[in-house]
Amino acid sequence: MRRKIVAGNWKMNKTLPEAKLLLTEIDTYIQSKPPKCEVIVGIPFVYIESAKANHKDLNVFSEDISEHRSGAYTGEVSAEMLKSIHADGAIIGHSERRQYHKETDEQIGAKVKIALDNGLTPIFCNGEVLEERKSGRHKEVVKRQTEVALFGLSPEDISKVIIAYEPVWAIGTGETATPEQAQEIHAYIRGLIATQYGNEIADSISILYGGSVKPSNAKEIFSKPDVDGGLIGGAALNINDFSALIDIYSEI
Ligand code: 13P
């Protein structure tokens, strides 16, 4: 059975008091009503230590990680540092990192590897931009991103990776991929993994969908057979929407 996951990506939002409030609301909610899916929160680096100190059972991820182990990399945060403050994992290769920080597939692959080497679970993001979708190259793009970043991993390592397919044209735009579009590309990604690593591993890896998921459209998307949950941006920033998404997925 694959892990079913609802993961939030807060991006660059919330002050410390706001972050503490939402983390407490999420923790209280899942303790009062244990979900039938895993819940992850991807939060700014600066809040991770306090999040884990106050909510040790919450799965807390960073939104990025350095590709380097340590040294003269001003402003970067290493896997070892994240592990030392009890982070559980890291979102890696988000399209906003690819777009605004020009991260390459090779760098993203190095980040995935260093996360795994330090016992952190990577959520590896892939997905095409609008022009690539319009010109019918979305599969080719997702294939390259996935192969370059992940296919150097051992079978044991890749089994620990969570994949998030996030079509860039659907992020923060209110436009979602249709459930059929999501299913098509999730099945395609799973097929790539099966070709490289075999069916058993491909069937065990969770592939999340991200891009304008909200309570009104989640049920249809989460119901697709190759969609194993969501990586949620805007709707992860308030307890009503986030808890509704957890409930919706728990009932599928
Ligand atoms: P939205 O849900 O705000 O579209 O963001 C999706 C996303 O980028 C999650 O990583």
Side-chain angles (χ1 to χ4, degrees), residues 9 11 94 96 166 170-173 210-213 231-235:
N9 175 8
K11 311 191 178 183
H94 191 276
E96 287 147 19
E166 299 204 316
I171 295 177
T173 58
S212 299
V213 176
L231 182 57
I232 320 291

Side-chain angles (χ1 to χ4, degrees), residues 13-14 25 51 58 66 96 105 142 149 154 180 191 197 200 227:
N13 290 293
K14 301 207 176 284
E25 287 173 333
L58 261 188
S66 174
E96 287 147 19
D105 296 322
V142 167
S154 67
E180 291 70 31
Y197 292 96
E200 197 179 324
V227 176

Side-chain angles (χ1 to χ4, degrees), residues 54 99 112 130 146 158 205:
N54 293 309
Q99 186 180 352
V112 168
L130 187 59
T146 307
I158 197 161
I205 290 182

Side-chain angles (χ1 to χ4, degrees), residues 7-11 91 94-96 123 125 164 166-176 209-214 230-237 245:
N9 175 8
W10 289 10
K11 311 191 178 183
I91 298 170
H94 191 276
S95 65
E96 287 147 19
I123 297 181
C125 304
E166 299 204 316
V168 181
W169 46 273
I171 295 177
T173 58
E175 196 172 330
T176 37
Y209 170 79
S212 299
V213 176
K214 41 189 184 284
L231 182 57
I232 320 291
L237 293 174
L245 291 169

Side-chain angles (χ1 to χ4, degrees), residues 19 26 79-80 100 143 158 160 164 171 194 204 215:
I26 295 168
E80 196 181 13
Y100 304 129
K143 181 173 192 272
I158 197 161
K160 297 177 188 149
I171 295 177
S204 73

